[in-house]
Structures are given as C-alpha cells and as structure tokens.
Amino acid sequence: MSDQVYIEDLGQHVDQEVTLKGWLYNKRSKGKLHFLIVRDGTGIAQTVVFKGDVSPELFELAGHLTQEASIIVRGQVRADERAPGGYEIGLTGLELVAAPTEEYPIQPQEHGTGFLMDHRHLWLRSRKQNAILRIRSEVIFAIHEFFHLRGFTHVDSPVFTPNACEGTTNLFEVDYFDDKAYLTQSGQLYAEASAMAFGKVYCFGPTFRAEKSKTRRHLTEFWMVEPEMAYGTLEDVMQLSEAFLCHIVARILEKRRPELEVLERDLAKLEAIQAPFPRLHYDDAVKMLNEGGIDFEWGGDFGAPDETLISEKYDRPVLIHHYPRAIKAFYMKPDAENDKLSLSVDVIAPEGVGEIIGGGQREDDLQVLEAKIAEHGLPEEAFKWYLDLRRYGSVPHSGFGLGVERTVAWICGVEHVRECIPFPRMLYRLTP
Ligand code: 4AD
Ligand code: MG
C-alpha cells in the first residue's frame, strides 16, 4: 500500500518508480511490446511491457491478461504527450491479483443502453461513466462548500413523511408498521421549520416521485438540495440561485478539467456561466413562445419544448419568475400586486436540459395557508405542525430546490439524467 500512486497524481512522479493498483482496461500487443491500459478509478494510464526489459514469464503473463483482470503494476513514469493522460509507465513488475473467471460482458464496441443499464454495476467502470460520476461528486462538494461559505447550516429533512409536499399525484406510499407513510418528494416543509430555528439552512438528500413520465429528465429517485432562508424574499432566492450555479460551474472548471475532456465538453459553454443571468417574467415568457410560433395559452405550465425554445435564446441559465398561482404548489405566496401570480421562480438551464431549480417565497400568513391547504384537498391533520410555523413568530421566508442529476447532465453535456446518478431508478428500472 505504502508506495501506491493514483493515476491522477502521476504528474507528481515523473521519472520515479511507482506502483499502480487497478484493473486492465484494454490491451494491445505489437511484436516485442505489450501495451497494458490500466485504470484505477482516478484515470487511465498506458504501461509498456518491453520483452527485453522483463523476464519471459512476466512478458507471457502480460500477453495473457484479459479485460478487467485486477493487477498491480510497477514501473518508471515517463512524460509522453501521445499517451492518454500524458504519462506512460515503463513496466518492470506485474502481479495478477485475480483473473476474470468469465469474459467481461462490456466490450469496447458499442452496446445498447438497455444492455448497459442492466450492467450498470459494471458500466460504472467505463471512462465516460467514471467522468460523469466524478463530476457529480465534485458538484456535491461544491454545493456543501457554497452553503458553508455563506453561513448556512446543513439540517436534513426526513425521508419517511406523513404528508405530501409537491402535490398528491406522484407519491410513493409505503407501509409504516400499522400505518402508511410516504417517501419524501421534497424536504422543503421541514427545511422551513429548520430555517425558523437556524436562520439560513439547507437540506440535501434523496427525494422520490412516482413519475409515470419516461423522459430524459425524470427519475423516480433523485437528489435535491434545498436552501431555505428566514426573512428571505423572492429576490433573495433569485440572487442566491444565480451565485450558487456560478459557484458550482466555476469549481468544476477548476477541478474537473480532465473529466470534462473525456466527455468532450465544450468548455466555452461553461465558461459563459457568469452573473447576471437573464430574468424573464412569466408573461414575457408566454409572449416569447407565441412569437416563436408555439401556440401556448397564458396560465399553463411550460413543457420541455417550451423550455427549450426559451433557453435557446440565452447562453446562460434563465430565471423565469411570477408563474400563475394556479400551477404552483399550495405553499407559494401570491404576488401582492397581482393575485393571479405567485412569488415563484424556476431556473431553466441552457442546452435543452430544462428546469434545474424551482423555488420562491412561501405563504407566511396562517389563515391564507389554512385556506390553501383546504383548497388543495390536503389532510389538515398532517399539516398541523407546519401551520405552527405561522403561529409562532411567522416571518417572510424563501428557498429553492436544485435537482443534482439535471445539474450534472447540464454540466457534463449528457443527454439523459439516468447516467448522472450511480444507480438510476426509473419507471421501468429498479435493478441492479
Ligand atoms: O420544482 P420542484 O418540484 O420543487 C420542489 O420540490 C420544491 N419543494 C423545492 C423547494 O423550493 N425547496 O423540484 C425541484 C427540482 C427541479 O427543478 C428539478 O431539478 C428536480 O428538482 N426534479 C427532478 N429531477 C429528476 N427527476 C425528477 N422526477 C425530478 N423532479 C424534480
Ligand atoms: Mg418545478
């Protein structure tokens, strides 16, 4: 273990002898040479086995290795621009830890997505998937970093809940001893309670929606981060989401360039993500759609093609605000100047990814909220504790939720959110 070096750190060991512990990713042979491409989770590196440099047994062993054999290699690091990653290792030692007992099912040639998804537990080893999920890990770090730098306290919300947050149509119901519970759709209601106790908070966890939609943007289990600010307004939420997205993208550009290169991501598109972001009133968004030839009626919610048409007009995320009350959740505060509108905002990512953030200012008046809960047909009993927040020192407050997988899809330039979570859960996918 002591002298093990990770491939991502090879640059710090040029002209030194190092040990890599990993797996055989690929292999080529040419006369007196074997090229072993090794992966260790942090990158891939080419090692060269020259017949004249090693024992006949070692040369033979290298020649017989098969894909995904676990191996420990030793050798000298050389800088070589032509090699993947920029370094090459002149192999001097090789140990086979375990040879695969069967042929590895994922071959370098193209496979269909269904096949790859069935083998997700192995597919994670491939370069592109590795790059996406390393970027995801960095995005999650950047999220925590952003909120901690701004004095937010991380207070998590429960996963088992007695009530709905985002409407009752897509709830997962589970047996809870002699009772029923629901898997959380959003941690928001609890984050509101936490905000009244800690001021500025965020919760971050898995959320669940029994979405019957089979789109490239929908998962049934996805991760959401939800900041909530006591005394916050709609304007505060808009400013926070702008600074937040800029922070995440900047950190990925700084720390995850090799992964973005593996994904052949257009870096100029990410470098353009700078404040201020364009803002669009719902009314103006409707006008834009109509002018763009879409027959969209005022009052409706935007679908994927609508969001795409709007986002294509900009090179950075667009904040659409003041949606009609009727299409938003029960907790949204109405606009004092126009009772038909709500103090809500959605952030639409560029390049057709669609909505990545939804949020706004919350109803803080006890009577209005009680009426809203009744109007939405929600069970009064389950919301008693939530109404207490309006009974004891109610204040204006606001927050938002950001979907991690859609954000990762956008940053990575990946078509489908299913590749942006290690083990996706979808309408027709519960395994592996
Ligand atoms: O817009 P949503 O439904 O907002 C809420 O849940 C609020 N309670 C959040 C808040 O104000 N605290 O969801 C927020 C985000 C969406 O913008 C999207 O990025 C993501 O969650 N999201 C999904 N991601 C993947 N699959 C799904 N089925 C998703 N549904 C929402
Ligand atoms: Mg939404």
Side-chain angles (χ1 to χ4, degrees):
M1 210 49 201
S2 54
D3 62 347
Q4 180 186 0
V5 163
Y6 284 95
I7 290 169
E8 66 178 342
D9 301 326
L10 282 180
Q12 298 158 29
H13 298 272
V14 177
D15 297 330
Q16 291 171 20
E17 176 109 336
V18 299
T19 299
L20 296 183
K21 298 185 175 183
W23 295 262
L24 185 73
Y25 189 69
N26 209 343
K27 190 186 71 185
R28 285 181 292 122
S29 297
K30 206 170 92 189
K32 295 182 170 150
L33 293 168
H34 294 307
F35 297 95
L36 308 181
I37 317 296
V38 180
R39 62 165 194 91
D40 73 351
T42 71
I44 69 167
Q46 175 164 287
T47 66
V48 184
V49 194
F50 175 54
K51 200 168 184 179
D53 283 349
V54 297
S55 68
E57 295 75 31
L58 198 156
F59 191 76
E60 172 86 5
L61 174 64
H64 284 96
L65 291 176
T66 58
Q67 195 184 348
E68 288 303 315
S70 40
I71 50 177
I72 298 174
V73 302
R74 228 183 134 65
Q76 182 98 10
V77 182
R78 300 189 285 251
D80 184 339
E81 277 177 14
R82 294 158 307 167
Y87 303 97
E88 190 175 75
I89 293 175
L91 187 136
T92 52
L94 170 65
E95 184 190 327
L96 174 61
V97 178
T101 57
E102 285 166 52
E103 192 183 17
Y104 190 63
I106 302 178
Q107 300 294 313
Q109 91 258 5
E110 293 275 303
H111 293 281
T113 309
F115 177 87
L116 291 169
M117 275 295 165
D118 287 342
H119 294 85
R120 183 64 175 167
H121 51 295
L122 301 177
W123 191 24
L124 293 178
R125 302 178 186 195
S126 74
R127 260 194 117 185
K128 184 179 166 203
Q129 300 307 311
N130 177 284
I132 295 169
L133 293 179
R134 274 166 67 85
I135 288 173
R136 177 191 167 100
S137 167
E138 199 70 42
V139 164
I140 291 170
F141 182 85
I143 288 170
H144 286 294
E145 181 184 53
F146 177 84
F147 288 120
H148 279 268
L149 288 173
R150 286 177 176 243
F152 283 66
T153 303
H154 181 188
V155 187
D156 277 324
S157 297
V159 167
F160 285 131
T161 59
N163 55 303
C165 176
E166 294 298 316
T168 49
T169 53
N170 57 10
L171 281 171
F172 277 113
E173 194 178 283
V174 291
D175 286 335
Y176 197 80
F177 304 108
D178 295 329
D179 209 344
K180 294 279 180 213
Y182 305 103
L183 299 182
T184 185
Q185 299 165 302
S186 156
Q188 179 194 322
L189 306 186
Y190 295 92
E192 289 182 49
S194 305
M196 299 308 139
F198 299 88
K200 287 182 290 188
V201 300
Y202 68 104
C203 62
F204 195 178
T207 46
F208 306 85
R209 309 253 172 119
E211 304 266 17
K212 288 267 165 66
S213 29
K214 235 188 102 186
T215 80
R216 62 193 183 88
R217 300 167 175 191
H218 287 92
L219 296 164
T220 52
E221 177 179 325
F222 63 96
W223 284 69
M224 194 175 2
V225 56
E226 299 178 84
E228 191 71 32
M229 299 174 284
Y231 291 99
T233 61
L234 172 61
E235 177 61 30
D236 292 326
V237 158
M238 298 217 270
Q239 285 181 20
L240 188 74
S241 50
E242 183 178 87
F244 182 48
L245 293 174
C246 289
H247 177 86
I248 295 173
V249 171
R251 175 147 188 124
I252 299 303
L253 279 169
E254 188 195 330
K255 301 284 183 189
R256 288 291 162 229
R257 291 238 167 192
E259 285 77 9
L260 292 170
E261 277 160 25
V262 167
L263 299 170
E264 295 172 16
R265 183 68 169 113
D266 182 352
L267 297 183
K269 291 223 160 85
L270 295 179
E271 278 155 1
I273 308 308
Q274 304 279 348
F277 292 170
R279 294 179 176 199
L280 199 59
H281 191 286
Y282 174 86
D283 292 351
D284 297 322
V286 172
K287 273 187 210 135
M288 188 183 279
L289 290 176
N290 291 336
E291 281 159 17
I294 294 186
D295 185 20
F296 186 94
E297 220 173 291
W298 193 98
D301 204 358
F302 302 130
D306 309 320
E307 288 178 352
T308 301
L309 186 140
I310 293 168
S311 70
E312 274 170 356
K313 302 248 189 271
Y314 307 100
D315 65 346
R316 54 200 83 191
V318 47
L319 278 60
I320 305 181
H321 53 88
H322 289 92
Y323 283 80
R325 271 175 79 181
I327 54 167
K328 287 291 181 189
F330 76 94
Y331 52 70
M332 290 286 187
K333 194 172 172 67
D335 179 8
E337 273 145 44
N338 181 348
D339 197 50
K340 282 204 162 56
L341 300 178
S342 61
L343 300 179
S344 53
V345 60
D346 278 3
V347 182
I348 314 299
E351 301 175 71
V353 172
E355 179 202 326
I356 52 172
I357 285 181
Q361 196 171 325
R362 323 306 189 186
E363 181 53 71
D364 49 25
D365 182 272
L366 178 64
Q367 272 83 42
V368 177
L369 194 56
E370 277 174 334
K372 271 312 232 0
I373 287 170
E375 187 189 309
H376 282 248
L378 297 166
E380 214 185 294
E381 184 60 28
F383 285 92
K384 256 178 118 168
W385 69 267
Y386 183 65
L387 289 165
D388 271 353
L389 307 176
R390 278 71 179 168
R391 280 192 188 97
Y392 307 110
S394 188
V395 296
H397 60 291
S398 60
F400 67 75
L402 167 115
V404 168
E405 292 74 18
R406 288 189 193 176
T407 305
V408 172
W410 163 49
I411 291 174
C412 291
V414 167
E415 246 322 87
H416 203 299
V417 290
R418 68 188 161 207
E419 290 180 44
C420 300
I421 185 165
F423 295 97
R425 298 292 172 245
M426 294 176 288
L427 184 52
Y428 298 114
R429 168 123 352 240
L430 191 58
T431 51

